[in-house]
C-alpha cells in the first residue's frame, strides 16, 4: 500500500474523530455549568412506569407495583432498576439501596405514591450494572426458558393473599427462578407454565453490537474509499515508470481510462501524451533514417566520380561538372533539412508583418508562369481585391512557391493551374488547384510526413510539403490538402488550401 492509501484512510478516520469531538464539545458547551451528570437518564419508557406507579398502587396495591418493578428489572433490555423505598430508605423488594439514596431522590423528579394504609413510598431509578453481564451470559442472545409458553398472570386473584404487601417484620423474598422467591406459586397459578426469565433481545439490539457494526462499516467504507482513490494513482505511477524505461507504447487500460472522474481524465491525458511521445520518438528515428538514406545516394555518386577521375584523367573536366552538380544537390538537401528542423523545433526567427497577399502571389506566379510555359501549361491567378494579412513574407513566399511548383509539376500538359484568393468572414483562403490525377486516398494523410514523396519517386527529397505546412503554421494559418472530384465522382485534380486569419 502506498502513502496515498494511508493518507486517505487516516483522513477518513480523522474526520470521524473530529466530528465526534465537535459533537461532544457542543454538548459540553451548551450544558449549563450547574448541571451535574445524572446516574440515570429518565427516558420515555421509564417515565411512563414512574408516572403510572400511583395508578398501579390504586388498582392492585403495593403487591402489583412490586411485581411490575420486579419484572422491569428482569427485562434484559432495561438498563436500570426502580427501587421502591419507604421513609427509612428500605426497599420493598429488599434489594440493595445506595448509601446516598436521599441525595439521589433530590436529583431526580419526585415520584411519590401512597398505599391503602397511607404510607408513602418513593420511586428511585438507579443504574443496573448487571445489564451487560446478563447479555454476555446469554449465549446466543436468549436466556433459558421453559418449554411451555408463559401464561398471563391475573394479578386481581393474587390480591387476596397479600392485599397490603408484607406484614411488619416479615422478610420479603426477592423473586426467584419462578418469580415468587423460594415459595411455590399460589393456588390460583398452579398448573400454569411461568416463564423463568424473559427472553434476551437479539444481539443486534445491543448497543455494543451497534457500536461494533458502525466501526466495522466505517472501517470497510474507509478501506474501500482509500483503495478506490489510491488504485489509479498506483497504476499511473507504474505507467510513468514504464515510460521512463523507454517503453513508449505504454498505455493505461480501460479500467482506469473509463472512469468518469478526474482520475479518468488524467489517465486519458496520459495515454494521449504517451502516444504523442511515441510518435515524436518514431518520427525522430524515421527522420534520421531518411536523412541517412538521402545522403547515401549523392555520396555514392561522388565516390564513383572520384574513382572515374582517377582512372581517366582526360575526362576530369566532365567529372568536375558532375561533382559540382551533386554538391549542389547535397547543399540543397542540407538546406531543406535545416529549414525543416528550425521550423519543427520553433527555432526559426519568424518576423510577422503586414503582407499584401495579391502582390506576393503575383511575385511567385511570375516565376511560375515561365516554368509552366516551358512545359506547355498555364498558371492563372484570380483575386477579387487586395488583402493584407499579418505573416512572415519569406516563409509564406516559400510555402506558396513550393505548392505552385508542385501543382505545375503534376498537372498534365495543356491544362491550367489556378491560384484563387478568397476572403470569407475573418479568414482568407488561397486555393491552388491543378488538373492532375490527384493522390491516393491512403497517401493523403502521409503527404506532410518528412521524406514521403508519394507519386514523385525521383524528384525532390520529400520535405517541401512538410516545410510548407510548418511555414504556414508559423504565420498563424493552416494548410490542407485534398483531391478534387468531378460530378461523376472521379478524381479530376488536386487542391492545396492555405487559410490565414485576417488581423
Amino acid at each position: 500500500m502506498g502513502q496515498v492509501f494511508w493518507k486517505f484512510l487516516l483522513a477518513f478516520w480523522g474526520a470521524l474523530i473530529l466530528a465526534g469531538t465537535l459533537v461532544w464539545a457542543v454538548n459540553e458547551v451548551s450544558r449549563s455549568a450547574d448541571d451535574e451528570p445524572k446516574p440515570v437518564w429518565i427516558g420515555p419508557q421509564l417515565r411512563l412506569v414512574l408516572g403510572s406507579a400511583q395508578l398501579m398502587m390504586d388498582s392492585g396495591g403495593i403487591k402489583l407495583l412490586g411485581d411490575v418493578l420486579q419484572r422491569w428489572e428482569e427485562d434484559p433490555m432495561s438498563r436500570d432498576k426502580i427501587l421502591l423505598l419507604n421513609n427509612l430508605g428500605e426497599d420493598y423488594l429488599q434489594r440493595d439501596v445506595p448509601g446516598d439514596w436521599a441525595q439521589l431522590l433530590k436529583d431526580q423528579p419526585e415520584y411519590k405514591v401512597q398505599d391503602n394504609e397511607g404510607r408513602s413510598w418513593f420511586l428511585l431509578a438507579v443504574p443496573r450494572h448487571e445489564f451487560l453481564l446478563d447479555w454476555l451470559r446469554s449465549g446466543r442472545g436468549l436466556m433459558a426458558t421453559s418449554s411451555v409458553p408463559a401464561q398471563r398472570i391475573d394479578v386481581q386473584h393474587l390480591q387476596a393473599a397479600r392485599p397490603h404487601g408484607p406484614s411488619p417484620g416479615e422478610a420479603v423474598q426477592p423473586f426467584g427462578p419462578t418469580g415468587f422467591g423460594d415459595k411455590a406459586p399460589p393456588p390460583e397459578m398452579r398448573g400454569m407454565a411461568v416463564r423463568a426469565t424473559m427472553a434476551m433481545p437479539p444481539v443486534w439490539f445491543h448497543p455494543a453490537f451497534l457500536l461494533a457494526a458502525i466501526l466495522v462499516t466505517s472501517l470497510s467504507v474507509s478501506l474501500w474509499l482509500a483503495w478506490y482513490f489510491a488504485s489509479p494513482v498506483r497504476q499511473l505511477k507504474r505507467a510513468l515508470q514504464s515510460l521512463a524505461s523507454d517503453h513508449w507504447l505504454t498505455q493505461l487500460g480501460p479500467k482506469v481510462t473509463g472512469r468518469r472522474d478526474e482520475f479518468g481524465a488524467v489517465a486519458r491525458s496520459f495515454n494521449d501524451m504517451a502516444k504523442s511521445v511515441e510518435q515524436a520518438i518514431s518520427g525522430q528515428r524515421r527522420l534520421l533514417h531518411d536523412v541517412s538514406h538521402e545522403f547515401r545516394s549523392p555520396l555514392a555518386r561522388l565516390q564513383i566520380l572520384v574513382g572515374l577521375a582517377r582512372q581517366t584523367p582526360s575526362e576530369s573536366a566532365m567529372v568536375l561538372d558532375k561533382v559540382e552538380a551533386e554538391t549542389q544537390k547535397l547543399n540543397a538537401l542540407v538546406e531543406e533539412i535545416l529549414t525543416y528542423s528550425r521550423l519543427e523545433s520553433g527555432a526559426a526567427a519568424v518576423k510577422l508583418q503586414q503582407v499584401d497577399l495579391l502582390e506576393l502571389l503575383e511575385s511567385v506566379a511570375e516565376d511560375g508562369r515561365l516554368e509552366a510555359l516551358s512545359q506547355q501549361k498555364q498558371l492563372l491567378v484570380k483575386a477579387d481585391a487586395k488583402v493584407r494579412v499579418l505573416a512572415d513574407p519569406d516563409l509564406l513566399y516559400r510555402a506558396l512557391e513550393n505548392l505552385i511548383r508542385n501543382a505545375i509539376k503534376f498537372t498534365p500538359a495543356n491544362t491550367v493551374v489556378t491560384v484563387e484568393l478568397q476572403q470569407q468572414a475573418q479568414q482568407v483562403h488561397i486555393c491552388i488547384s491543378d488538373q492532375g490525377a490527384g493522390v491516393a486516398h491512403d497517401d493523403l494523410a502521409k503527404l506532410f510526413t518528412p521524406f514521403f514523396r508519394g507519386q514523385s519517386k525521383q524528384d525532390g527529397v520529400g520535405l517541401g510539403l512538410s516545410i510548407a505546412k510548418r511555414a504556414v503554421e508559423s504565420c498563424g494559418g493552416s494548410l490542407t490538402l485534398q483531391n478534387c472530384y468531378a460530378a461523376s465522382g472521379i478524381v479530376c485534380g488536386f487542391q492545396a488550401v492555405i487559410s490565414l486569419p485576417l488581423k
Side-chain angles (χ1 to χ4, degrees):
M1 299 296 179
Q3 295 182 358
V4 175
F5 175 86
W6 293 111
K7 286 180 180 179
F8 275 111
L9 186 62
L10 294 177
F12 184 87
W13 279 92
L16 289 180
I17 295 174
L18 178 61
T21 305
L22 289 176
V23 171
W24 174 83
V26 170
N27 180 67
E28 289 296 318
V29 171
S30 61
R31 191 173 63 179
S32 173
D34 298 333
D35 292 344
E36 295 294 336
K38 302 296 189 299
V40 174
W41 178 68
I42 308 298
Q45 295 178 341
L46 183 58
R47 190 180 299 113
L48 176 62
V49 174
L50 295 174
S52 305
Q54 186 61 55
L55 179 61
M56 289 185 284
M57 182 74 80
D58 296 340
S59 300
I62 196 171
K63 177 62 173 63
L64 175 60
L65 181 57
D67 290 344
V68 172
L69 298 183
Q70 182 65 38
R71 288 179 179 275
W72 172 272
E73 184 176 352
E74 290 179 348
D75 190 339
M77 290 296 292
S78 64
R79 297 174 176 83
D80 40 62
K81 59 184 177 181
I82 304 175
L83 301 177
L84 186 58
L85 306 178
N86 57 18
N87 292 328
L88 300 178
E90 299 172 346
D91 180 46
Y92 171 74
L93 299 177
Q94 296 186 353
R95 294 168 293 182
D96 293 335
V97 179
D100 57 344
W101 63 272
Q103 183 62 36
L104 294 176
L105 282 176
K106 294 179 181 180
D107 294 338
Q108 293 184 7
E110 182 177 348
Y111 291 98
K112 181 180 178 182
V113 295
Q114 287 186 345
D115 58 16
N116 295 335
E117 297 179 357
R119 290 178 297 181
S120 297
W121 297 85
F122 299 93
L123 297 170
L124 174 63
V126 295
R128 178 171 171 265
H129 302 292
E130 300 85 357
F131 169 67
L132 182 58
L133 293 177
D134 287 348
W135 181 80
L136 293 175
R137 294 168 182 167
S138 62
R140 290 178 297 175
L142 294 177
M143 295 289 288
T145 60
S146 60
S147 59
V148 183
Q151 303 293 327
R152 183 170 181 172
I153 302 175
D154 189 356
V155 297
Q156 297 295 336
H157 295 120
L158 302 180
Q159 296 181 21
R162 301 181 64 177
H164 302 295
S167 58
E170 180 183 0
V172 179
Q173 299 296 331
F175 285 10
T178 62
F180 298 94
D182 296 333
K183 299 181 180 181
E188 295 84 351
M189 298 185 60
R190 291 174 183 174
M192 299 174 60
V194 180
R195 186 181 299 273
T197 56
M198 299 184 66
M200 289 295 293
V203 65
W204 50 85
F205 284 172
H206 197 275
F209 175 82
L210 296 178
L211 178 60
I214 292 175
L215 293 177
V216 171
T217 303
S218 301
L219 179 61
S220 302
V221 172
S222 60
L223 287 173
W224 179 82
L225 281 176
W227 174 86
Y228 180 79
F229 287 114
S231 177
V233 175
R234 290 195 299 270
Q235 296 185 44
L236 185 61
K237 177 183 176 182
R238 289 194 293 267
L240 288 172
Q241 291 174 346
S242 178
L243 196 65
S245 302
D246 295 341
H247 295 91
W248 308 114
L249 293 177
T250 301
Q251 293 285 287
L252 292 171
K255 190 174 181 179
V256 182
T257 57
R259 294 172 60 128
R260 297 181 179 272
D261 53 12
E262 286 77 5
F263 288 111
V266 171
R268 291 188 291 271
S269 299
F270 172 83
N271 283 353
D272 294 340
M273 179 199 69
K275 288 180 182 178
S276 300
V277 171
E278 193 275 332
Q279 291 174 359
I281 297 298
S282 299
Q284 182 182 19
R285 292 172 178 173
R286 185 175 59 251
L287 179 61
L288 182 61
H289 174 270
D290 293 339
V291 168
S292 302
H293 179 74
E294 293 297 330
F295 274 110
R296 182 183 302 171
S297 297
L299 288 176
R301 288 193 292 269
L302 284 176
Q303 289 178 350
I304 293 174
L305 291 173
V306 171
L308 181 62
R310 288 176 178 174
Q311 294 178 2
T312 55
S314 59
E315 298 182 0
S316 58
M318 181 270 295
V319 171
L320 289 176
D321 292 339
K322 291 185 177 181
V323 169
E324 183 180 6
E326 292 296 333
T327 304
Q328 291 176 354
K329 289 181 181 179
L330 280 175
N331 185 55
L333 176 59
V334 171
E335 183 66 25
E336 293 279 313
I337 293 174
L338 289 176
T339 302
Y340 173 78
S341 178
R342 286 194 294 266
L343 291 173
E344 181 71 16
S345 62
V350 180
K351 301 177 181 178
L352 298 179
Q353 61 187 52
Q354 291 293 328
V355 178
D356 189 335
L357 280 183
L358 182 57
E359 182 179 347
L360 186 64
L361 279 176
E362 289 293 345
S363 176
V364 178
E366 184 176 353
D367 296 333
R369 287 192 182 96
L370 297 176
E371 183 177 349
L373 288 175
S374 65
Q375 302 176 28
Q376 299 181 353
K377 304 172 184 178
Q378 294 184 10
L379 177 62
L380 180 61
V381 177
K382 297 180 180 179
D384 297 335
K386 290 185 177 182
V387 179
R388 300 183 69 85
V389 295
L390 187 64
D392 186 314
D394 295 333
L395 292 178
L396 191 55
Y397 182 95
R398 180 159 189 165
L400 289 171
E401 181 185 31
N402 182 277
L403 294 173
I404 291 175
R405 293 188 64 183
N406 276 348
I408 295 173
K409 181 190 301 183
F410 293 107
T411 194
N414 302 318
T415 58
V416 179
V417 173
T418 305
V419 180
E420 187 173 2
L421 185 63
Q422 301 175 350
Q423 182 177 351
Q424 296 179 357
Q426 297 299 317
Q427 279 194 329
V428 59
H429 304 286
I430 305 173
C431 303
I432 304 168
S433 307
D434 62 49
Q435 300 179 20
V439 178
H441 180 74
D442 295 338
D443 291 343
L444 278 175
K446 303 176 184 178
L447 291 177
F448 293 126
T449 303
F451 300 104
F452 179 78
R453 289 194 288 265
Q455 297 177 0
S456 178
K457 300 299 183 182
Q458 301 297 331
D459 299 335
V461 295
L463 285 175
L465 291 177
S466 301
I467 294 175
K469 181 176 184 294
R470 274 36 175 214
V472 172
E473 291 175 348
S474 300
C475 297
S478 62
L479 174 60
T480 57
L481 306 176
Q482 59 191 10
N483 287 320
C484 299
Y485 294 90
S488 60
I490 301 176
V491 177
C492 62
F494 188 78
Q495 184 180 65
V497 181
I498 296 177
S499 300
L500 295 170
L502 289 175
K503 297 181 181 180

